[in-house]
Amino acid sequence: MSLLLGALTLGFIFSLVALGVFISFRIFAFPDITADGSSTLGAALAAMLLLHNVNPVLATSAAFAGGFLAGTLTGTLATKFKINGLLAGILVMTGLYSINLHIMGRSNISVLGSSTLSTYAERLGIALARVHNLNVMGWDITALEASLLVASFLFIVLAGCVMYVFFQTNLGTAMRATGDNNEMVRALGVNDENMIILGLGLSNGLIALAGAFIAQYQGFSDVQMGIGMVVWGLASVIIGEALVGTRQLGLSITGAVMGSVLFRLLVAIALRLGLNPNDLKLVTALFVFLALIAPGLLKKLNILKLQSSHA
Amino acid sequence: MLEIRAASKTFNPGTPNELLALQAVNLTVNDGSFVVIIGTNGSGKSTLLNAVAGSFCLDSGAIFLAGADITKWPEHKRAKLIGRVFQNPFSGTAANMSIAENLALAAYRGKPRRLGWPLRKHLVSQLRDRVSQLNMGLEDRLKNPIGSLSGGQRQALTLLMATWLHPEVLLLDEHTAALDPKSADQVTALTDTIIRRDKLTTLMVTHSMQQAAYLGDRLVMMHRGRIIQDFHGAEKQRIRMDDLLARFEEVRAPNYSTRAPPRCCAACISDKPSSIIIAPTQAK
Ligand SMILES: Nc1ncnc2c1ncn2[C@@H]1O[C@H](COP(=O)(O)OP(=O)(O)OP(=O)(O)O)[C@@H](O)[C@H]1O
Ligand SMILES: [Mg+2]
């Protein structure tokens, strides 16, 4: 049961990564892999500040700001300096590895014992529900687990709604149009380069926020924790698109969250069934690979079928 | 007023592919004037329009628009003063966004994009109003993605977008060339109506001799990066398609020099095919 709750909670937290990847890959069609570095940056910043007894809300906000800056840096390299987008992301990600080590001082730091958003959520949960342990259908759940699940769910609903509204404002519409047709957007007086920079900033801000939440959820920050983040986010987005389609912004956002939760559940089940945790990233990469080539393969199959039926 | 002074542009300078796309072009367009630009393939018509729009920087020369020296302005800043329709119907609109969203983007041309709500009630009713004037039945489909429309419908909407906020100059680069004949006629008629109604200063590139003869109050002919002919007023109104075809034959002759005196004759084109389109270009 706590495995299930944990998977759901992680799924909600990782939806922030999915939403970030959705902004860069889908809205801007920009293959941004800064995420691997910016998620760790978020975790490192939050953990470091928490260890110095900074208020958890402030520490988490600082993580968002750090990720935002990293994203704008990638965007600036790609637009103002005309560096290939993939390479710009690699450069920033690589640079961040050292920066993250500097922030943390070593490769792994624990925040257990500090007050974090997790302890906040637990205290609030206990205050509201007035019990320390729940019993749901015969399963024992700690107040911590339940509070974290509810809190992460509420936060992701809020984030999704804010994002949905934002992308329909004048600024958000201009950003979506930039990803769609930058020639047109320039002809309508929008500085498309600034839109990309800002968009990547928001994307990596969300991803760093996820990093900060993960650090507080699992109680530590690790310099390696961001590896594979882009692929996880992409897997969630792809699952979401398969679930709800791509026609509408609201659906896409909901889909990315659902994809992330479903993906975490699948991972939890696979691990339970004996998948070696070391193989997790390989399996994820294979999954994304298959999902990316599937539409093309299906088309080819259809053409072959048509040809054979004509023959 | 649009004033182009000695505009020069060389592509790939210093390489074997060096190309003098614009050679000290001078052109002054008065407010409300509708200039049609024709010329052989590669004569620099698109380059001239792109120079005005700011797609690249001139090597030398200057461009003034509405009293401002815009020579050094980036493209998105010039867009405040310029409305533009491209040859390719896909270039002027964001395919995955709705008709309403596309038009709203144009209604804010040149204004800062902040957190305001674009599709306010009065704007939407204004959109519906203007779109229904196109008589394409699109007013009931404002929420549909613009990518689901035909090329002609998209060009009509792009024209509406480019002229939404009275531009100081309207740039049309073969905006009907990629359309089927019927849609092309429709968009041409719409173009003429809007330009006359709003008294828009316009530069229109075309390969259609029919458009060149019947539209606009001034006709400019380009060849090898230069303006070789400029018909105004009554002279422009007298021009027939046949005269233009003959002039084309002349500049295409292998021994033609850009200094040859202009000569118009209707007689020498009797063996021309009946098509009125010379060298149509394909949409990219
Ligand atoms: N970005 C560019 N880089 C290099 N060469 C270019 C570029 N743009 C245009 N040219 C070249 O400059 C010349 C003028 O091109 P331009 O597109 O202005 O001609 P045009 O008069 O519009 O011709 P068309 O009737 O075919 O549209 C052509 O030879 C073209 O190949
Ligand atoms: Mg051209």
Side-chain angles (χ1 to χ4, degrees):
Chain A
M1 190 63 194
S2 55
L3 200 70
L4 176 69
L5 287 188
L8 282 175
T9 309
L10 269 182
F12 287 130
I13 295 176
F14 271 98
S15 327
L16 289 171
V17 178
L19 291 179
V21 166
F22 173 74
I23 293 178
S24 53
F25 276 70
R26 287 298 187 251
I27 291 188
F28 285 98
F30 188 108
D32 178 29
I33 61 168
T34 316
D36 281 21
S38 55
S39 54
T40 315
L41 176 67
L45 276 173
M48 208 52 218
L49 291 171
L50 288 172
L51 277 185
H52 287 87
N53 292 320
V54 173
N55 177 299
V57 177
L58 265 182
T60 309
S61 313
F64 177 87
F68 184 90
L69 275 181
T72 54
L73 188 57
T74 303
T76 307
L77 293 185
T79 55
K80 309 287 181 201
F81 296 99
K82 312 273 177 247
I83 295 174
N84 170 290
L86 210 50
L87 186 56
I90 291 175
L91 290 179
V92 174
M93 180 187 80
T94 308
L96 281 177
Y97 191 86
S98 299
I99 292 178
N100 292 334
L101 273 174
H102 274 297
I103 292 174
M104 297 200 292
R106 53 178 185 272
S107 61
N108 189 308
I109 54 177
S110 162
V111 294
L112 293 174
S114 316
S115 75
T116 65
L117 285 180
S118 298
T119 59
Y120 272 31
E122 183 182 22
R123 246 183 288 153
L124 192 68
I126 292 173
L128 287 177
R130 296 207 176 77
V131 285
H132 286 261
N133 287 293
L134 304 173
N135 194 296
V136 180
M137 293 181 290
W139 299 89
D140 277 328
I141 307 170
T142 66
L144 177 65
E145 286 170 328
S147 316
L148 286 181
L149 178 61
V150 173
S152 58
F153 173 74
L154 289 180
F155 186 85
I156 202 67
V157 169
L158 179 74
C161 290
V162 168
M163 193 166 141
Y164 178 67
V165 171
F166 172 76
F167 277 110
Q168 296 190 67
T169 61
N170 279 318
L171 180 60
T173 311
M175 287 171 97
R176 279 188 296 138
T178 301
D180 202 324
N181 183 347
N182 59 352
E183 189 180 18
M184 164 235 195
V185 141
R186 272 199 306 274
L188 294 177
V190 175
N191 186 336
D192 58 328
E193 296 185 344
N194 287 354
M195 292 297 129
I196 292 174
I197 293 173
L198 185 58
L200 292 188
L202 289 179
S203 160
N204 284 287
L206 286 174
I207 292 167
L209 201 53
F213 284 148
I214 294 165
Q216 296 175 70
Y217 174 78
Q218 64 189 14
F220 65 90
S221 158
D222 186 289
V223 76
Q224 307 270 6
M225 66 187 276
I227 296 176
M229 213 47 98
V230 178
V231 180
W232 280 335
L234 209 49
S236 309
V237 170
I238 291 173
I239 295 176
E241 285 171 351
L243 289 176
V244 300
T246 56
R247 266 159 295 115
Q248 249 193 6
L249 181 65
L251 282 180
S252 297
I253 292 176
T254 318
V257 175
M258 285 164 57
S260 170
V261 172
L262 189 62
F263 182 68
R264 279 292 133 189
L265 286 175
L266 289 176
V267 167
I269 292 170
L271 290 176
R272 189 65 189 266
L273 292 179
L275 176 74
N276 183 342
N278 290 340
D279 291 337
L280 193 54
K281 290 195 165 84
L282 179 62
V283 172
T284 312
L286 276 176
F287 167 79
V288 172
F289 169 69
L290 287 177
L292 289 178
I293 63 165
L297 278 184
L298 286 178
K299 215 184 268 168
K300 251 189 211 154
L301 274 180
N302 277 339
I303 291 171
L304 284 181
K305 251 188 237 159
L306 276 179
Q307 278 172 350
S308 60
S309 68
H310 278 290
Chain B
M1 196 167 78
L2 170 69
E3 199 179 342
I4 302 169
R5 284 189 205 156
S8 293
K9 179 71 189 177
T10 304
F11 288 115
N12 313 316
T15 71
N17 297 329
E18 184 173 274
L19 215 143
L20 304 169
L22 291 180
Q23 305 192 48
V25 172
N26 288 300
L27 184 68
T28 302
V29 183
N30 292 326
D31 281 337
S33 178
F34 179 178
V35 183
V36 179
I37 303 175
I38 56 173
T40 44
N41 285 115
S43 56
K45 307 181 294 294
S46 299
T47 307
L48 185 66
L49 260 59
N50 289 338
V52 174
S55 310
F56 53 77
C57 278
L58 288 176
D59 296 339
S60 63
I63 300 174
F64 294 83
L65 181 58
D69 180 354
I70 62 167
T71 317
K72 296 255 153 62
W73 289 18
E75 192 176 356
H76 63 87
K77 188 175 171 197
R78 295 187 196 195
K80 187 183 277 191
L81 307 173
I82 296 175
R84 220 176 160 191
V85 184
F86 304 88
Q87 175 174 353
N88 185 342
F90 296 102
S91 298
T93 48
N96 296 317
M97 297 171 73
S98 71
I99 297 179
E101 282 179 321
N102 271 279
L103 290 167
L105 276 167
Y108 288 85
R109 174 166 57 80
K111 296 182 183 163
R113 316 278 167 160
R114 300 220 176 90
L115 295 179
W117 205 248
L119 293 175
R120 286 175 199 283
K121 250 198 195 123
H122 76 269
L123 182 62
V124 173
S125 71
Q126 207 182 348
L127 294 181
R128 197 180 304 277
D129 225 43
R130 294 224 208 164
V131 170
S132 68
Q133 284 169 24
L134 298 178
N135 288 322
M136 289 177 162
L138 296 177
E139 58 276 13
D140 304 320
R141 299 166 61 185
L142 289 181
K143 290 220 166 86
N144 293 19
I146 221 164
S148 64
L149 306 183
S150 73
Q153 290 170 324
R154 286 175 81 162
Q155 282 307 65
L157 286 172
T158 310
L159 194 59
L160 200 60
M161 287 163 63
T163 56
W164 192 277
L165 304 172
H166 190 104
E168 291 296 330
V169 64
L170 176 64
L171 303 178
L172 308 171
D173 191 354
E174 298 189 53
H175 66 306
T176 63
L179 306 179
D180 62 89
K182 194 164 155 262
S183 311
D185 286 346
Q186 216 174 357
V187 172
T188 305
L190 180 68
T191 307
D192 198 37
T193 311
I194 293 180
I195 291 174
R196 281 169 194 265
R197 184 192 65 200
D198 297 347
K199 300 189 176 56
L200 295 175
T201 315
T202 306
L203 294 186
M204 181 177 95
V205 174
T206 184
H207 270 114
S208 154
M209 291 306 111
Q210 191 176 31
Q211 287 181 358
Y214 298 117
L215 292 182
D217 51 36
R218 185 171 169 191
L219 180 69
V220 162
M221 194 168 189
M222 290 187 71
H223 186 62
R224 297 204 182 136
R226 288 203 172 90
I227 290 178
I228 56 163
Q229 199 101 58
D230 190 349
F231 301 102
H232 293 262
E235 201 183 7
K236 159 74 176 83
Q237 303 312 326
R238 270 203 308 275
I239 288 180
R240 313 248 58 95
M241 275 161 52
D242 295 347
D243 306 333
L244 295 173
L245 290 173
R247 189 74 182 102
F248 261 103
E249 285 302 293
E250 232 173 84
V251 300
R252 280 194 178 161
N255 56 357
Y256 176 80
S257 108
T258 39
R259 261 156 284 146
R263 189 164 53 87
C264 290
C265 72
C268 53
I269 54 99
S270 50
D271 55 10
K272 279 266 109 202
S274 60
S275 163
I276 53 159
I277 312 283
I278 287 192
T281 44
Q282 295 294 312
K284 274 144 223 144

